[in-house]
């Protein structure tokens, strides 16, 4: 912004003008008032200008924050007069100071914004003498509330990081050129911890049951909120462990010494500080809201996300914060699977966006959030426990409630283990799990009901290519007659070979006539015996061109695939990798006699487009079904408080992934219909 008034140029307003600049602003406002007295229609426009300056100018807001109380009250009176075109004597400093808390400049700012809520912008600011919340634009400051926007045209938070969907976060630290930190306020768990569960830097409990204050320790029970994914509930030592943040409103001298004020009447401390207050008889454990983990943004990252309209930045008073947190704590009927959706809707209503909130209720992302909550913040002691004396059959069943057809007994498991160790899985076709609840519902959706060929398996890694995901692009191969054949490219996986080739193109075929005589390509199997029986072969681009030129094959006989799925075998945990996913039923081995049927169905897929999306998607599911039995139960589980099954939600999640990452944008983001899924 650059203004010229009285020969004085003002630049870089975003960094905050000096107080003397107010003379320039005042001159402008006075000029507008003089014009308004002559043109009544211009009065409304000037009001809109004043509101815009108040709401969107960081410099204007920064000036308020740094000014004295008397200056603030005077400017409020001046602006109010210009807004309502009343005489100055209608206002006095004492009357205005009674309506706002001059010690809390956020409250003053709320009064300014509220005075302009009828400007026609459509934004409603809910404010009273003790409670307010309003959209503060893109201004980030400690104590602000970050409210998640919904993204129906992409649904990223339905496919990944579901805990951010419809989240309400409190900014606890912000330095523009350094870091921004916040805690998610609306993800309460049903986990209660005792004092002995909190460990110091040496891994020892801060307070032990047999310590001096043991009797008091036993009385403390701490309910845990999921605060974020950084150093969160499940962080290990390599991530620095779980970081605990205790929110409270205690204002004793000791409390202020061990705490940091984030917002007026809102303080943070750590577990050790909270215990000091309890030991001093200044608090009980129920006075604290305990958050495990936080959300973090690097310098400029949150600003970029605000510019992409991923969040609303909200200014709210402490009463609004405590009302929501107290409701979560005191509601005995609250289920963690509700995932704090009510708190998000309440704040949206305070912003006058209740229609927007209702329009996206019970969406795909809502249901995915509930499934995330069921998996991550719902703690249940009734989960089955595997005892060391269980036999192998029982162990397999406990690992996979719906045991795959390839590992349905101890004998099958031994056979698979021998094959994996001696011959590897190269040449094997795998498919995604047939469990009632897909392991790929909340992440790696590309593996849900997938069809995958293992093309390499050695002591270093296992490499596979997905076969069921056509993309929008094609790959041309020139023929000797000068024509180009365009092959639809299939998404094989997210990996290439770093430093060598990012994502290579490979060609596959299963045509028996190309496996004998002048062979086209090489079999994708480790054994050198009976190579003609190897179902799928891999070949080079020139071999494909020669086969088509000679009339021995047609373009539809080949699949063109780009990218890999890679499972390293060195320096990885024993519970990861291909074998682990086979044992747990996340992946299943397809019987060799069924591979041909799968291949035929997959060959019917074509280049991805809006017109071929549905046909390709249904062919992908059909190919998966052709690869084995669906051993799911007749009554699959439902998503919490809905009529949608987890299996249906997983299918929809795969479709969203296909549209978002392969088609380039979600086209099924209409209102979610319980009976048929997407509109």
């Amino acid at each position: 912004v650059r203004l010229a008034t009285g020969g004085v140029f003002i630049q870089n307003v975003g960094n905050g003008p000096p107080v003397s600049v107010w003379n320039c602003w005042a001159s402008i406002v006075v000029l507008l008032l003089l014009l308004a007295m002559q043109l009544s229609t211009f009065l409304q426009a000037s009001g809109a200008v004043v509101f815009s300056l108040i709401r969107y100018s960081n410099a204007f807001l920064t000036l308020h924050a740094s000014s004295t109380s008397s200056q603030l009250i005077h400017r409020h009176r001046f602006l109010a007069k210009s807004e309502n075109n009343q005489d100055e004597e209608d206002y006095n400093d004492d009357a205005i100071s009674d309506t706002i808390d001059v010690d809390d400049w956020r409250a003053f700012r709320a009064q300014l914004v509220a005075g302009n809520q009828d400007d026609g912008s459509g934004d409603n600011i809910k404010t009273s003498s003790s409670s307010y919340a309003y959209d503060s634009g893109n201004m980030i400051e400690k104590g602000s509330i970050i409210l998640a926007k919904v993204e129906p045209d992409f649904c990223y938070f339905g496919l990944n990081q579901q805990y951010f969907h419809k989240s309400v976060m409190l900014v606890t630290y912000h330095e523009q050129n350094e870091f921004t930190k916040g805690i998610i306020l609306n993800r309460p768990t049903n986990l209660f911890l005792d004092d002995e569960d909190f460990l110091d830097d040496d891994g020892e409990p801060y307070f032990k049951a047999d310590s001096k204050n043991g009797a008091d320790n036993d009385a403390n029970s701490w309910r845990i909120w999921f605060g974020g994914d950084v150093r969160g509930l499940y962080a290990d030592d390599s991530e620095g462990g779980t970081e605990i943040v205790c929110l409270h409103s205690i204002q004793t001298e000791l409390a202020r010494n061990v705490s940091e004020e984030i917002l007026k009447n809102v303080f943070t401390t750590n577990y050790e500080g909270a215990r000091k207050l309890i030991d001093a008889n200044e608090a009980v454990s129920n006075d604290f809201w305990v958050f495990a983990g936080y959300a973090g943004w690097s310098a400029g990252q949150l600003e970029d996300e605000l510019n992409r309209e991923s969040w609303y930045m909200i200014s709210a008073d402490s009463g609004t914060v405590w009302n929501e947190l107290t409701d979560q704590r005191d509601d005995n009927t609250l289920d963690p699977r509700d995932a704090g959706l009510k708190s998000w809707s309440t704040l949206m209503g305070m912003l006058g966006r209740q229609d927007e909130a209702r329009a996206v209720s019970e969406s795909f992302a809502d249901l995915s959030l509930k499934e995330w909550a069921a998996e991550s913040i719902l703690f249940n002691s009734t989960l089955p426990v595997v005892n060391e004396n269980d036999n192998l059959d029982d162990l397999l069943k406990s690992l996979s409630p719906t045991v795959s057809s390839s590992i349905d007994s101890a004998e099958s498991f031994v056979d698979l283990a021998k094959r994996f160790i001696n011959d590897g899985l190269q040449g094997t076709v795998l498919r995604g799990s047939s469990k009632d609840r897909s392991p790929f519902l909340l992440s790696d959706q590309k593996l849900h009901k997938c069809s995958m060929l293992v093309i390499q398996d050695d002591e270093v890694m296992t490499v596979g290519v997905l076969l069921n995901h056509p993309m929008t692009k094609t790959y041309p191969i020139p023929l000797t007659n000068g024509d180009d054949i365009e092959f639809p490219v299939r998404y094989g996986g997210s990996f290439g070979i770093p430093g060598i080739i990012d994502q290579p193109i490979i060609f596959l075929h299963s045509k028996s006539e190309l496996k004998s005589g002048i062979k086209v390509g090489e079999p994708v199997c480790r054994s050198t015996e009976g190579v003609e029986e190897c179902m799928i072969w891999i070949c080079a681009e020139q071999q494909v061109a020669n086969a088509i030129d000679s009339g021995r094959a047609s373009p539809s006989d080949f699949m063109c695939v780009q990218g890999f799925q890679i499972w390293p075998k060195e320096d990885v945990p024993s519970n990861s990798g291909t074998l682990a996913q086979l044992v747990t039923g996340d992946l299943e081995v397809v019987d060799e006699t069924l591979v041909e049927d799968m291949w035929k169905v997959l060959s019917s897929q074509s280049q991805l487009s809006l017109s071929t999306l549905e046909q390709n998607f249904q062919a992908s599911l059909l190919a998966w079904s052709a690869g084995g039995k669906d051993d799911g139960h007749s009554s699959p589980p439902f998503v919490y408080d809905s009529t949608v099954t987890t299996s249906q939600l997983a299918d929809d999640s795969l479709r969203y992934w296909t549209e978002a990452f392969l088609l380039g944008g979600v086209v099924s983001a209409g209102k979610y219909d319980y009976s048929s899924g997407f509109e």
Side-chain angles (χ1 to χ4, degrees):
V1 179
R2 183 172 183 175
L3 301 175
T5 305
V8 179
F9 287 89
I10 306 170
Q11 292 182 297
N12 198 21
V13 176
N15 291 332
V19 175
S20 60
V21 172
W22 256 99
N23 295 330
C24 303
W25 287 111
S27 299
I28 294 172
V29 175
V30 170
L31 178 61
L32 293 176
L33 288 174
L34 292 173
L35 294 173
M37 284 187 284
Q38 300 178 38
L39 300 172
S40 59
T41 55
F42 190 77
L43 178 62
Q44 296 178 351
S46 67
V49 170
V50 171
F51 176 79
S52 298
L53 290 174
I54 294 171
R55 183 177 178 192
Y56 295 112
S57 173
N58 285 2
F60 193 79
L61 296 171
T62 303
L63 188 58
H64 281 304
S66 60
S67 301
T68 65
S69 300
S70 60
Q71 290 172 321
L72 292 174
I73 295 171
H74 175 72
R75 292 169 191 169
H76 182 277
R77 175 165 58 88
F78 182 77
L79 287 174
K81 179 187 175 187
S82 65
E83 169 77 355
N84 298 299
N85 197 27
Q86 296 180 355
D87 293 334
E88 185 170 347
E89 48 266 45
D90 289 345
Y91 297 85
N92 63 78
D93 290 353
D94 293 336
I96 294 173
S97 63
D98 289 339
T99 65
I100 61 174
D101 185 346
V102 295
D103 292 328
D104 185 355
W105 59 273
R106 287 186 177 89
F108 164 75
R109 193 170 65 197
Q111 290 284 342
L112 288 180
V113 179
N116 293 275
Q117 61 181 341
D118 294 327
D119 72 306
S121 67
D123 292 333
N124 293 324
I125 296 88
K126 305 297 183 183
T127 179
S128 67
S129 59
S130 61
S131 179
Y132 62 83
Y134 64 90
D135 188 337
S136 58
N138 285 9
M139 188 178 67
I140 307 170
E141 56 189 348
K142 185 174 71 172
S144 292
I145 299 293
I146 302 175
L147 199 61
K149 286 187 178 182
V150 293
E151 298 178 313
D153 58 338
F154 190 70
C155 290
Y156 178 81
F157 290 148
L159 296 172
N160 194 28
Q161 295 181 303
Q162 288 82 6
Y163 41 83
F164 282 131
H165 173 65
K166 292 188 177 179
S167 60
V168 179
M169 291 181 280
L170 174 67
V171 177
T172 58
Y173 178 85
H174 175 67
E175 285 294 336
Q176 184 172 358
N177 299 319
E178 183 182 336
F179 189 66
T180 302
K181 188 175 182 178
I183 51 176
I184 302 176
L185 300 178
N186 61 329
R187 300 288 183 256
T189 78
N190 61 342
L191 176 65
F192 289 81
L193 297 180
D194 298 326
D195 285 311
E196 291 185 61
D197 296 313
F198 293 89
L199 308 180
D200 59 22
D201 292 338
D202 297 325
E204 296 295 326
Y206 276 102
F207 299 92
K208 299 180 180 179
D210 58 354
S211 66
K212 180 179 179 181
N213 297 321
D216 292 334
N217 294 339
D218 292 341
N220 293 321
S221 181
W222 309 79
R223 186 176 185 172
I224 305 300
W225 270 252
F226 175 87
D229 55 349
V230 183
R231 298 187 62 184
L233 274 171
Y234 304 101
D236 56 28
D237 291 340
S238 65
E239 301 171 279
T242 300
E243 178 169 307
I244 296 295
V245 178
C246 300
L247 220 60
H248 68 88
S249 59
I250 305 164
Q251 300 191 46
T252 64
E253 182 178 354
L254 175 60
R256 289 184 175 275
N257 288 338
V258 299
S259 307
E260 178 184 1
E261 188 170 26
I262 302 301
L263 188 62
K264 185 181 181 183
N265 301 329
V266 178
F267 300 87
T268 61
T269 187
N270 55 18
Y271 168 75
E272 194 172 8
R275 272 307 310 256
K276 287 180 179 179
L277 293 173
I278 292 176
D279 292 342
N281 294 320
E282 294 183 3
V284 295
S285 59
N286 203 43
D287 291 329
F288 299 93
W289 283 256
V290 183
F291 295 85
Y294 62 88
W297 293 265
S298 59
Q301 182 182 355
L302 182 55
E303 287 88 344
D304 291 341
E305 293 177 7
L306 286 168
N307 291 331
R308 295 198 301 268
E309 299 186 349
S310 297
W311 313 99
Y312 293 114
M313 188 62 66
I314 308 301
S315 281
D317 68 302
S318 58
T320 299
V321 174
W322 287 126
N323 284 341
E324 293 306 312
L325 288 175
T326 302
D327 285 346
Q328 294 175 31
R329 182 194 64 187
D330 297 342
D331 186 356
N332 294 327
T333 65
L334 185 144
D335 190 300
R337 292 171 293 180
D338 288 318
L341 292 172
K342 180 181 176 182
S343 294
W344 180 85
S345 296
T346 297
L347 282 171
M348 288 289 284
M350 292 184 72
L351 297 179
R353 299 184 180 275
Q354 53 269 28
D355 291 341
E356 178 183 336
R358 281 193 293 267
V360 293
S361 64
E362 296 302 328
S363 64
F364 160 75
D366 280 6
L367 299 180
S368 295
L369 173 61
K370 290 181 178 181
E371 277 300 294
W372 170 84
E375 180 179 284
S376 302
I377 61 175
L378 177 68
F379 294 85
N380 191 335
S381 61
T382 63
L383 294 175
V385 177
V386 180
N387 297 318
E388 60 181 358
N389 295 326
D390 289 343
N391 61 37
L392 186 55
D393 283 336
D394 292 335
L395 175 61
L396 290 171
K397 291 177 181 177
S398 68
L399 288 171
S400 175
T402 305
V403 183
S404 71
S405 58
S406 61
I407 315 178
D408 55 6
S409 68
E411 183 179 356
S412 298
F413 176 79
V414 172
D415 290 342
L416 175 64
K418 287 181 178 179
R419 176 178 179 182
F420 188 86
I421 294 171
N422 297 329
D423 299 324
L425 293 172
Q426 185 169 312
T428 302
V429 174
L430 307 176
R431 71 170 195 160
S433 174
S434 59
K435 295 178 183 179
D436 286 338
R437 186 186 185 281
S438 172
F440 307 113
L441 193 161
L442 300 177
S443 62
D444 281 335
Q445 288 86 359
K446 59 182 175 288
L447 298 180
H448 173 65
K449 292 188 176 178
C450 69
S451 302
M452 179 168 57
L453 172 67
V454 179
I455 62 173
Q456 176 183 331
D457 189 32
D458 53 31
E459 64 279 1
V460 178
M461 69 180 69
T462 301
V463 181
V465 289
L466 298 169
L467 303 177
N468 59 312
H469 295 310
M471 297 192 286
T472 57
K473 62 182 179 180
T474 60
Y475 184 80
I477 291 184
L479 302 179
T480 55
N481 62 4
D483 294 336
D484 284 347
I485 298 293
E486 298 285 343
F487 288 87
V489 180
R490 296 170 184 263
Y491 174 86
S494 54
F495 296 99
I497 305 175
I500 301 176
I501 185 169
D502 289 333
Q503 288 188 317
I505 294 284
I506 65 171
F507 287 88
L508 304 169
H509 76 82
S510 67
K511 191 176 180 67
S512 56
E513 291 83 357
L514 303 181
K515 300 176 185 178
S516 59
I518 304 177
K519 296 180 175 63
V520 178
E522 298 177 354
V524 186
C525 53
R526 176 164 293 186
S527 175
T528 58
E529 298 180 3
V531 292
E532 288 80 6
E533 272 72 36
C534 188
M535 180 63 197
I536 301 177
W537 287 42
I538 185 170
C539 49
E541 177 181 329
Q542 189 57 52
Q543 291 175 312
V544 174
N546 292 340
I548 295 175
D549 270 332
S550 65
R552 298 180 62 204
S554 65
S556 61
D557 292 325
F558 299 94
M559 285 188 188
C560 177
V561 186
Q562 185 176 34
F564 302 121
Q565 284 295 115
I566 297 178
W567 289 266
K569 293 184 179 179
E570 295 182 336
D571 300 324
V572 296
S574 59
N575 62 346
S576 63
T578 316
L579 182 58
Q581 289 189 308
L582 289 170
V583 170
T584 58
D586 290 357
L587 295 174
E588 301 172 359
V589 175
V590 176
D591 190 283
E592 294 178 353
T593 61
L594 302 176
V595 173
E596 184 175 1
D597 291 337
M598 291 182 69
W599 183 273
K600 288 180 180 178
V601 177
L602 293 171
S603 296
S604 69
Q605 293 178 305
S606 54
Q607 179 184 359
L608 182 62
S609 66
L610 282 173
S611 60
T612 64
L613 172 64
E614 182 62 25
Q615 185 271 331
N616 281 352
F617 185 74
Q618 294 302 325
S620 175
L621 299 182
L622 184 59
W624 176 84
S625 297
K629 296 182 296 182
D630 184 354
D631 294 327
H633 300 301
S634 57
S635 300
F638 290 89
V639 178
Y640 171 73
D641 196 26
S642 80
T643 57
V644 178
T645 65
T646 56
S647 58
Q648 179 184 344
L649 184 64
D651 286 353
D652 293 338
S653 184
L654 172 61
R655 176 163 183 150
Y656 261 118
W657 178 88
T658 302
E659 296 178 11
F661 292 98
L662 299 185
L663 190 60
V666 174
V667 298
S668 300
K671 181 71 174 179
Y672 196 92
D673 184 87
Y674 286 118
S675 60
S676 59
F678 298 110
E679 290 183 352

